Amino acid sequence: MPNLTSFNSPEDSAIRFVLGGEIKTLPNIDPSMTILRYLREIGNRTGTKEACGEGGCGACTVVLADLDNDGQLRYRTINSCLHPLPQVDGQALLTVEDLKTIDGHLHPVQQALVEAHASQCGYCTPGIVMSLFALYQSGDHPDREAIVNALTGNLCRCTGYRPIIDAALCLFESDRPTVVEGNQRMNQSPGSSGRLVTDDSILRKLLDSIKRSHRLSIQESTSTGKTNRYLLPVNLAELSDMLGQYENPVLLAGGTDIGPLVSQKPQNNETIIFIGKVKELRGMVLSDSSITIGAATTLTEVYPVIARYYPAFGELLLRFGSPAVRNLATIGGNIAGRSPVSDTATALIALDSTMAVRVGSTQRTLSVEAFQIGAKHDVLAPGEFIESISLPLPKEGSMFSAYKITKRHDCDIAAIAAAFSMELKDNRIHQVRVCYGGMSPYVKRATHCERALTGMPWTPDTIETAGQLLEKDFEPTTDRRASSGYRMLVAKNLLQRWYFESTLPPESLQVRAYQKTYE
């Protein structure tokens, strides 16, 4: 157990980050200022565009570079419209203006888009460039699927996506000669070295020099006489100290959900505590029986581990927003948001997962299911926060499936989320958990349905009977995403789908072609 003895650690009021190859030191900035606003209004970097203001279109995409736990440089896309500027503390911020190469030519990503005629009005192009740049810096040779995934959060309303994807395929084609210098990939294409003015070796030194070892505290007096604070602890002791000092602070993890509220309504957030740098809240521990995930671990970091053991859960995570969202969104934040259609909560409850919550030096464990007790209400006491989430590893004979029903496949909030887990013994249902999101004011198990399934043979008749009992478990409402009747019908159909996917070969469930007959 960590030592949480309160102490007065050194405190800093200035954020430090790298921009344009230089360290920027900004004392006591407006804590509600977004990265996008700083870039356009103060940094004179107008290549980054503003459109939706909610992280849904990708026009504002920029790249953050930092050092991972192994000291390796990593590049991650984020939506600059969502996040307060203090979140870039200790990192390097790269925009489309930084892609000028050392020889003054276009970066290979930009050149590929030009050659494929992949830009028309150009408004979305800087965001697309930065998404492909982050993929380029990974040093991989991605296939079409990986390219499409990297561009998931970038909307283009002019050209369509064919020339954009063609440009990326050309850029990453396997027979194109490349060299890797450090972590810097360089395509040896005519007219461009691909090497940035601020290369990896320089960036590492700059990042090492601004690595934060103690808390950040920014204060700003408002016109109403209030004091807005932005606090950044780096360990549990500092976080515990802050929670005991301030009343009703807003805890900000990734900021992909409440980030817009912080930036658009700063008067409602007197004290913001950003927990994304608390080292004890990050990372994963794998044991013989479970996976324990720190609450501030991002969905991008969580994905490969969860997908290895629960592929259906992994598929759900891939449909959680865009890469720019998943790069900062955290598993703890998604649960704490108490959404009635939470992607992660639905799956975690079906898997009978638990969570550790803490206040000061006191920790307790509860089920993820017990966390929420009503619409936007949870069981956390004042000063208490989610520390970690643990989900069990699959047992022999267990089955798990998860589904997300949306109007569009990617970057959309579910109308219905469902997750089912079961243990079969001699083709009889030994244990089962059926969980739905979007069917009630909070994510909830279908207990009548579960009782009808338990002990019964795994047959279509069993599923049909249990599905009818969903009407006793839920009274779904109608909203802009779906009608109540649609929700109930789809909830029943998802049970049927679960059965057929577990008993029939995958190819028999896939639509290969459509045929229309005329009379």
Side-chain angles (χ1 to χ4, degrees), residues 12-26:
D12 192 358
S13 62
I15 68 168
R16 294 175 179 84
F17 61 97
V18 178
L19 181 65
E22 299 178 350
I23 295 175
K24 300 289 184 181
T25 302
L26 305 179

Side-chain angles (χ1 to χ4, degrees), residues 61-66 74-79 82-83 87 91 130-131 134-135 149-150 253-256 274 276 282 296-304 317-318 320-331:
T61 302
V62 295
V63 169
L64 285 183
D66 64 357
R74 62 176 179 175
Y75 293 83
R76 300 176 295 159
T77 54
I78 66 164
N79 294 305
L82 286 178
H83 306 289
Q87 275 189 254
Q91 301 173 87
M130 297 311 293
S131 290
L135 187 61
N149 179 61
T256 57
F274 176 61
R282 297 183 60 85
T297 308
T298 69
L299 298 184
T300 296
E301 294 163 337
V302 164
Y303 167 74
L317 292 177
L318 279 183
F320 188 106
S322 64
V325 170
R326 296 193 296 271
N327 284 337
L328 288 184
T330 65
I331 190 165

